[in-house]
Amino acid sequence: MAFRRRTKSYPLFSQEFVIHNHADIGFCLVLCVLIGLMFEVTAKTAFLFILPQYNVSVPTADSETVHYHYGPKDLVTILFYIFITVVLHALVQEYIVDRLSRRLHLSKVKHSKFNESGQLVVFYLSSVIWCFYVVVTEGYLTNPRSLWEDYPHVYLPFQVKFFYLCQLAYWLHALPELYFQKVRKEEVPRQLQYICLYLVHIAGAYILNLSRLGLILLLLQYSTDLFFHTARLFYFADENNEKLFSAWAVVFGVTRLFILTLAVLAIGFGLARMENQAFDPEKGNFNTLLFRLCVLLLVCAAQAWLMWRFIHSQLRHWREYWNEQSAKQRIQAVPRPSARLIKRESGYHENGVVKAENGTSPRTKKLKSP
């Protein structure tokens, strides 16, 4: 299964070979696991990679439902979905992003940013739709008290746990993709910042049993990031199209306010009023004063950092805009010569008479008759 047209062969397992064939290698590993399902001897091990583990039957009023909790075996499942994400990343890059970038004829800097935004738009769009479906079907939007009631939320529905595993797999796969995609050195620190920020928040919500609150916060954050990268794609298509950035600036500020309000409401007030406030890691209960303060501090620090970066970038953008406007005004203030240029004879005019450069009146030479 070849994702790219290759005109040059590389030595086996060399650096260039791995970079250009990493998606094919990942596909082969995924195929080996799927083939393992066909044999009884390896089927049990293959299911360990494919399906979420630690299922528990929880009795309800009508019947029993299957829920899940987390454990070390989740790392094996995440590893399998990292390889699937690598394959999907290559498919999106080859058949969507690269085809669009060829039509736009972008520079190297814009081409790198276009690839980043193209991949993230596909991911954010699918994640927003999936997360919204999970939140609605589980009833977290209609009942906000469920975000902190019955804490700790140790047992998760299948779709909630599978969503978290796929999210962790995507952001973990983004780390080696910086090497495989040959991202510019100037762009690596910025991308590492938001990748690590997402990993810390998603893993923290999953391990600390704050999965319900984490879903709502991810939905808000992903919606804002989807807006931004969509605006950037439209800007690359037409540099005069900057109205979406203005709309995104408003949405960004409002989203920060919603995230902080929801975090303070759920953690600062909701969990603080719960009766069970004992530190018990075996039961998944971390509801203590120190725990709540640390989580709130982490959320507030992340939002303050994002807001500071936003203000800094907006000030820089406005400064560049006003510099361009002042430069245009200086060019317009310079007097331009009249369009109609009058041709004059050599010398200068005095009282309607053309004078030569030495002050004498030029005379026409008489032609001698033959």
Side-chain angles (χ1 to χ4, degrees), residues 273-290:
R273 295 180 179 180
M274 298 294 295
E275 295 181 358
N276 189 8
Q277 296 191 16
F279 181 74
D280 192 356
E282 294 183 358
K283 295 183 178 179
N285 188 6
F286 302 94
N287 188 14
T288 61
L289 178 61
L290 181 61

Side-chain angles (χ1 to χ4, degrees), residues 10-28:
Y10 300 98
L12 191 63
F13 296 116
S14 63
Q15 182 179 3
E16 292 296 327
F17 177 85
V18 174
I19 290 175
H20 286 80
N21 298 276
H22 69 277
D24 297 332
I25 296 172
F27 180 76
C28 291

Side-chain angles (χ1 to χ4, degrees), residues 32 126 154 156 313 363:
C32 291
S126 57
V154 178
L156 308 176
S313 63
R363 297 179 182 178

Side-chain angles (χ1 to χ4, degrees), residues 82 85 89 119-120 123 165-174:
I82 285 176
T85 310
H89 186 111
Q119 290 285 346
L120 289 176
F123 168 71
L165 294 180
C166 291
Q167 293 298 312
L168 291 171
Y170 179 86
W171 291 114
L172 285 173
H173 115 281

Side-chain angles (χ1 to χ4, degrees), residues 311-327:
I311 294 173
H312 180 71
S313 63
Q314 289 296 109
L315 290 176
R316 184 184 60 198
H317 177 71
W318 288 340
R319 194 182 303 115
E320 292 175 355
Y321 173 77
W322 288 115
N323 289 337
E324 291 178 0
Q325 293 297 322
S326 60

